[in-house]
Amino acid sequence: MGNRGNCVLYCRVSTEKDTQELSLSRQYEELTTLAESLDFNIAASFTDKHSGYELDREGLLDLLDYIKEGSVNAVLIQDETRLGRGNARVAVLHLLAKTNTSVFTNHDNGPLELNEMDSMLLEILAIVEEYQRKLHNAKIRRGMKRAVEAGYRPERNLSNQGNAEGRERVEAPVQEIVSLRDKGLTFEEITSVLKGLGHNVSKATVHRRYQEYTAEQEG
């Protein structure tokens, strides 16, 4: 087993022509050699016959799922265009950076060397995501604060407060939705409160559950 951990190989050609099979085979052979030279253990390999401008590639999606589920240290590619072209390439690089997965290329004979523009774009994307997370948490806090000010007491109304085992709750607590709605909270605020209490619900789900409840009462 390689001392640097596990890697996956990704090979891509742009068309499904039979002549491209030779290119895929060549890429695989070159990446196998690269993995050996870099002392990586090859855990899996993925291929695509699809345009690099598109993200909806079966091999790429399988690769991202594999990385998310397993222990992968790096992705090996022939050159950076194999991951994608244009905005698609930057998007894939961003997803790999989020999982702390390194990218090695046969072209660079080592770590992918990003140009100044790509580095700047990836840094901007990371900053935007961080502020989106902060904004999301701020909305949860604001919704919870308004609910408490309106007299809502989650410790009394929710028997399973929290989520100690880390499982997502699918069911929306209808009585809590109705209670919060009666206290004047908007559906967005109610959603924020429930998320803060560990309920994985969307604004649309909250609104739908409330409509179902009111329809039942009127019926």
Side-chain angles (χ1 to χ4, degrees):
M1 178 178 290
N3 294 329
R4 299 183 71 166
N6 293 328
C7 75
V8 294
L9 312 183
Y10 180 66
C11 309
R12 183 187 66 80
V13 292
S14 58
T15 70
E16 294 188 4
K17 293 181 179 179
D18 293 339
T19 54
Q20 295 295 318
E21 288 293 341
L22 181 60
S23 176
L24 284 175
S25 298
R26 185 172 63 251
Q27 288 182 44
Y28 181 82
E29 292 174 2
E30 291 177 353
L31 295 180
T32 299
T33 301
L34 179 63
E36 292 175 353
S37 67
L38 295 174
D39 208 15
F40 274 115
N41 173 61
I42 300 175
S45 63
F46 303 88
T47 62
D48 271 315
K49 297 178 181 179
H50 209 290
S51 169
Y53 290 101
E54 300 292 335
L55 284 174
D56 188 9
R57 293 176 250 151
E58 186 173 350
L60 175 64
L61 297 177
D62 287 343
L63 179 150
L64 294 173
D65 285 341
Y66 187 89
I67 289 175
K68 186 182 298 184
E69 296 173 1
S71 176
V72 177
N73 303 97
V75 175
L76 272 57
I77 51 177
Q78 184 183 52
D79 59 70
E80 63 176 23
T81 65
R82 296 306 98 192
L83 283 180
R85 293 181 180 275
N87 293 335
R89 177 175 55 84
V90 176
V92 175
L93 288 172
H94 177 58
L95 290 173
L96 293 175
K98 287 174 63 176
T99 57
N100 295 316
T101 306
S102 301
V103 179
F104 292 80
T105 76
N106 194 53
H107 178 266
D108 297 312
N109 197 31
L112 172 63
E113 296 181 4
L114 296 175
N115 58 45
E116 187 174 345
M117 179 62 73
D118 285 342
S119 297
M120 182 180 69
L121 286 174
L122 291 174
E123 185 175 345
I124 290 173
L125 285 173
I127 292 173
V128 169
E129 280 204 345
E130 175 63 15
Y131 273 88
Q132 286 178 332
R133 184 186 65 79
K134 290 181 178 179
L135 180 60
H136 173 72
N137 290 338
K139 285 184 176 180
I140 290 177
R141 287 194 297 271
R142 185 186 66 177
M144 184 66 73
K145 180 180 179 181
R146 187 173 172 202
V148 172
E149 289 175 347
Y152 181 71
R153 294 295 180 266
E155 68 276 9
R156 297 176 185 172
N157 299 329
L158 286 174
S159 60
N160 294 316
Q161 183 182 350
N163 199 359
E165 296 182 4
R167 291 193 297 267
E168 293 181 342
R169 296 177 179 171
V170 179
E171 295 298 325
V174 178
Q175 292 301 323
E176 308 311 321
I177 293 173
V178 174
S179 175
L180 290 168
R181 186 64 175 166
D182 289 344
K183 294 182 185 304
L185 271 69
T186 65
F187 288 114
E188 182 175 2
E189 290 172 332
I190 294 171
T191 303
S192 296
V193 171
L194 295 179
K195 284 185 176 180
L197 294 171
H199 292 275
N200 186 32
V201 293
S202 66
K203 178 183 174 183
T205 298
V206 169
H207 186 235
R208 185 166 59 252
R209 293 291 186 272
Y210 183 77
Q211 286 184 319
E212 291 171 353
Y213 173 83
T214 55
E216 288 179 1
Q217 295 303 306
E218 292 174 357

